[in-house]
């Protein structure tokens, strides 16, 4: 029963986090990195930070809910949660500079590494679902993986651009939607204890 409550909580918290993040990022230019919305002084910086912490909480609750289904899925989600929170709490400097195109600070690197780590672990959880609940894996591979891959290509090979900014936004929407859908599925289905 606790797993279903955790899943329901994950769906609710994740929905609030996703809407908050979308609201915080909506006013920024699409060629900017998403993280620039969390820089102190940005119009919605506190909302951005709170939204990432809510999404991190959603990942932690989903990890609890998935424990009976697959320990590796639960582990990847549990590890992604503190990284997502860290990426919200540790903001980048103005412009969110990333190597190899711009000079960065240690804080920028911590923020970027935490965000990338959280997204990679979510992508791993999506893949691991292939062995347990195949349609959830297909959904993640359809809506989250393509923009995640294209976002990574943009960050590494293009740098700050309209392409990279749009792909980052699409990746966050895809991963957030996948988390909420997976949580709803676990809230509705009684898992073996």
């Amino acid at each position: 029963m606790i797993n279903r409550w955790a899943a329901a909580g994950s769906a609710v918290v994740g929905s609030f986090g996703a809407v908050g993040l979308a609201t915080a990022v909506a006013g920024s230019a699409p060629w900017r990195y998403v993280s620039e919305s969390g820089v102190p002084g940005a119009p919605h910086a506190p909302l951005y930070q709170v939204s990432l912490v809510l999404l991190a909480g959603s990942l932690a609750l989903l990890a609890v809910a998935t424990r009976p289904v697959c320990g590796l899925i639960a582990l990847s989600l549990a590890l992604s949660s503190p990284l997502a929170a860290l990426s919200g709490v540790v903001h980048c400097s103005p412009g969110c500079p990333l190597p190899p195109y711009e000079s960065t600070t240690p804080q920028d690197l911590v923020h970027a590494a935490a965000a990338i780590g959280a997204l990679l672990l979510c992508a791993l959880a999506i893949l691991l679902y292939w062995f347990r609940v195949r349609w959830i894996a297909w959904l993640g591979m359809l809506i989250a993986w393509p923009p995640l891959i294209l976002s990574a290509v943009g960050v590494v090979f293009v740098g700050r651009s309209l392409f990279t900014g749009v792909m980052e936004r699409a990746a966050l929407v895809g991963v957030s939607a996948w988390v909420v859908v997976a949580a709803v599925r676990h809230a509705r289905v009684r898992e073996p204890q």
Side-chain angles (χ1 to χ4, degrees):
M1 184 58 129
I2 191 160
N3 300 326
R4 292 173 79 184
W5 282 105
S10 174
V12 171
V13 171
S15 295
F16 278 110
V19 169
L21 186 61
T23 303
V25 173
S28 68
W31 59 84
R32 294 185 184 268
Y33 291 125
V34 169
S35 298
E36 292 183 65
S37 299
V39 174
H44 303 291
L47 178 60
Y48 171 88
Q49 293 169 332
V50 167
S51 298
L52 278 178
V53 171
L54 287 172
L55 287 169
S58 178
L59 290 167
L61 289 166
L62 186 56
V64 171
T66 58
R67 198 170 36 86
V69 176
C70 177
L72 289 176
I73 294 172
L75 179 62
S76 65
L77 292 168
L79 292 174
S80 71
S81 175
L83 292 174
L86 183 62
S87 74
V89 174
V90 176
H91 59 81
C92 56
S93 58
C96 289
L98 288 176
Y101 304 102
E102 301 162 311
S103 298
T104 61
T105 66
Q107 186 172 330
D108 294 324
L109 295 176
V110 168
H111 170 80
I116 290 167
L119 289 170
L120 284 174
L121 286 163
C122 285
L124 176 61
I126 291 168
L127 179 63
L128 291 170
Y129 262 102
W130 181 260
F131 303 103
R132 297 295 181 197
V133 186
R134 202 161 276 182
W135 74 266
I136 292 180
W138 274 115
L139 178 68
M141 289 178 193
L142 180 67
I143 67 170
W145 273 35
L148 280 170
I149 292 166
L150 292 173
S151 175
V153 167
V155 167
V156 173
F157 294 109
V158 180
R160 184 183 319 279
S161 67
L162 179 62
F163 173 79
T164 305
V166 169
M167 287 302 106
E168 265 195 326
R169 284 157 178 77
L172 287 171
V173 167
V175 170
S176 298
W178 177 82
V179 168
V180 171
V181 169
V184 167
R185 184 265 178 198
H186 287 288
R188 295 182 65 194
V189 175
R190 185 178 300 275
E191 307 290 357
Q193 297 298 320

